[in-house]
Every structure is written in structure tokens, then in C-alpha cells.
């Protein structure tokens, strides 16, 4: 199976996992509810990890096709950072969701009623998210610089007519893509570990809905463009 076919199947399965996660009792009021929510969160995270495992294999085979991302819409590709989503997007999402939920439940919070959702992050959690964001920004910048250096080297070689070992150069690009994907997955895992099962479920649902929404808007845009 090529990666495009894998992705289409994976994407459909992600819808399935998120649907079940969204139906789970929140907040969990019993031990069974807590275990169910934790199990579903772990299932989604395993599904995401599997995506990156297969993508890594596909990059070894043809990294340029990973960059062209035929399975994505033109809108999605315009938002890509090194063949995928930018890791720091996770922090923008969690801050936005937290702010929206906090504002919608501010009276309960002022009366000391704990909601347990993303709007009820503790000071320690906010500190952890902020520190992780700083680390992720630094790592993003390092990988961005590595890609820029790779591109400059290739451009200089081509302009100068230098003999280039293309296979060796492509290997360098594969390593950069893998570093970017490792950072994406590592960031997701670290964010989820900072959250309670309920908060992790809400974060993963919001992230998936953003993914689904951008894909849907991209399909509509590509369809309208093709009809002109």
C-alpha cells in the first residue's frame, strides 16, 4: 500500500476514534468512566504514533512525495511546516480552548466550582505548558535552520554546476523530515502527559476537529477552483 492509500484509511479511522472519544462521559464520574476515557485517549495517541511510523518508512522510500503530499488539499499544503503541521500550533490550540472554556464557565470558577476541563488548568499545568512551548519553539527553529541550510547548499551546487551526489543529499532531507515528525509527535505526547484524561480528550478532539475542518475547507476550495 502506498502512503496516500494508507493516509486515506488512517484518516477515516481517526474520524472513528474521535467519534468514540467525544461520546465518552466527561467529566468522568466513576472509576469505569475514568478508565474508559484513559483507554480512548491512549488509542488515539497510538493511532497518531502509527501514522508517523508509516510516514517514516514512506520518507525512506520517497521523501519528495512526502513533501508534495498528494493526499492533502492545496490549503493544507500552504499551512505545512516541513511536510506537516507546525508543532507550536498545539500551544495556540490549548490556550485558545482553555480561554474559551474559562470564559464560558467563569461564574462557576468564581464560586469555586471545579470544572476539570481545559478551562480549569492549574497553575502548575500552565507553567508546564509554557516551558514546553519555549523548548518546542527552540527545537522548531533548529530544524528550520537545518532545512534552510540544506536548500542553500543544493541551490549553490546547482548554480555552480557542481557534481552532486543526489542520493546522499536526499538522505539529508529524509533526516530533516524525520526530525520534524519526531518533534510533532513528541510535542503531542508531552502536552497530553501534562493534562488529565478529561483535558487530554478535549485537546485531542479540538485538534482533530481543526484538522477535519481545514481539510474540508481545502476540499471545497479545490473543488471551486476546478470548476472555474
Amino acid at each position: 500500500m502506498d502512503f496516500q492509500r494508507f493516509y486515506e484509511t488512517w484518516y477515516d479511522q481517526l474520524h472513528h476514534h474521535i467519534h468514540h472519544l467525544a461520546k465518552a462521559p466527561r467529566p468522568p464520574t466513576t472509576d469505569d468512566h475514568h478508565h474508559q476515557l484513559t483507554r480512548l485517549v491512549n488509542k488515539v495517541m497510538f493511532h497518531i504514533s502509527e501514522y508517523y511510523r508509516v510516514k517514516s518508512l514512506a520518507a525512506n522510500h520517497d521523501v519528495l512525495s512526502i513533501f508534495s503530499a498528494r493526499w492533502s488539499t492545496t490549503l493544507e499544503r500552504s499551512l505545512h511546516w516541513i511536510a506537516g503541521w507546525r508543532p507550536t500550533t498545539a500551544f495556540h490550540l490549548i490556550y485558545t480552548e482553555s480561554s474559551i472554556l474559562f470564559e464560558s464557565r467563569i461564574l462557576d470558577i468564581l464560586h469555586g466550582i471545579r470544572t476539570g476541563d481545559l478551562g480549569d488548568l492549574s497553575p502548575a499545568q500552565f507553567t508546564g505548558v509554557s516551558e514546553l512551548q519555549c523548548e518546542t519553539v527552540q527545537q522548531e527553529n533548529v530544524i528550520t535552520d537545518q532545512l534552510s541550510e540544506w536548500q542553500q547548499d543544493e541551490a549553490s551546487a546547482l548554480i555552480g554546476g557542481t557534481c552532486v551526489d543526489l542520493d546522499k543529499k536526499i538522505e539529508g532531507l529524509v533526516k530533516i523530515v524525520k526530525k520534524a515528525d519526531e518533534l510533532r509527535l513528541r510535542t503531542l505526547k508531552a502536552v497530553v502527559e501534562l493534562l488529565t484524561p478529561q483535558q487530554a480528550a478535549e485537546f485531542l478532539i479540538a485538534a482533530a476537529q481543526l484538522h477535519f475542518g481545514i481539510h474540508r475547507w481545502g476540499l471545497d476550495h479545490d473543488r471551486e477552483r476546478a470548476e472555474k
Side-chain angles (χ1 to χ4, degrees):
M1 180 183 294
D2 64 22
F3 189 74
Q4 182 168 355
R5 288 171 57 197
F6 162 80
Y7 180 83
E8 290 168 355
T9 300
W10 179 90
Y11 184 82
D12 288 341
Q13 291 172 341
L14 180 62
H15 267 281
H16 175 78
H17 290 313
I18 294 299
H19 173 74
H20 283 284
L21 184 58
K23 288 177 64 178
R26 285 182 285 129
T29 55
T30 68
D31 287 344
D32 285 344
H33 288 168
H34 182 85
H35 293 320
Q36 179 186 5
L37 200 55
T38 300
R39 179 176 58 81
L40 291 171
V41 166
N42 289 340
K43 185 174 288 188
V44 172
M45 290 303 299
F46 177 80
H47 189 62
I48 294 171
S49 297
E50 184 67 3
Y51 166 78
Y52 286 112
R53 184 189 70 81
V54 177
K55 185 181 177 186
S56 176
L57 296 174
N60 286 335
H61 178 68
D62 185 2
V63 70
L64 298 181
S65 71
I66 296 298
F67 265 93
S68 64
R70 300 187 309 274
W71 49 89
S72 299
T73 64
T74 52
L75 173 61
E76 288 172 291
R77 289 193 289 273
S78 74
L79 298 172
H80 278 177
W81 170 81
I82 312 184
W85 57 276
R86 185 177 287 274
T88 46
T89 304
F91 304 102
H92 298 304
L93 181 62
I94 198 169
Y95 288 136
T96 299
E97 289 296 311
S98 179
S99 178
I100 292 171
L101 288 171
F102 178 83
E103 290 177 4
S104 68
R105 294 168 171 76
I106 190 167
L107 291 178
D108 288 338
I109 294 171
L110 289 175
H111 285 91
I113 300 173
R114 302 299 301 273
T115 59
D117 57 21
L118 281 175
D120 194 19
L121 294 175
S122 69
Q125 285 178 310
F126 270 117
T127 298
V129 170
S130 178
E131 291 175 350
L132 180 61
Q133 181 180 17
C134 292
E135 294 172 7
T136 305
V137 168
Q138 292 175 352
Q139 292 166 7
E140 259 189 19
N141 290 340
V142 169
I143 300 172
T144 298
D145 289 344
Q146 289 174 347
L147 178 61
S148 295
E149 183 179 347
W150 184 90
Q151 292 171 330
Q152 289 171 3
D153 287 347
E154 297 314 296
S156 297
L158 291 171
I159 292 171
T162 306
C163 181
V164 176
D165 184 343
L166 187 58
D167 288 340
K168 185 175 181 180
K169 294 296 183 181
I170 291 297
E171 286 178 9
L173 185 59
V174 171
K175 291 178 181 178
I176 293 170
V177 171
K178 288 186 176 183
K179 286 181 181 179
D181 282 343
E182 287 166 2
L183 180 58
R184 282 184 263 267
L185 183 57
R186 189 164 65 248
T187 300
L188 270 184
K189 288 181 175 180
V191 168
V192 167
E193 288 175 1
L194 285 169
L195 304 175
T196 67
Q198 177 186 351
Q199 292 166 342
E202 292 170 350
F203 168 72
L204 291 173
I205 291 168
Q209 288 175 339
L210 178 62
H211 182 181
F212 300 153
I214 292 174
H215 183 68
R216 185 170 59 251
W217 297 330
L219 288 174
D220 291 342
H221 177 268
D222 288 348
R223 190 178 301 111
E224 290 173 3
R225 189 178 60 173
E227 291 172 355
K228 290 181 180 179

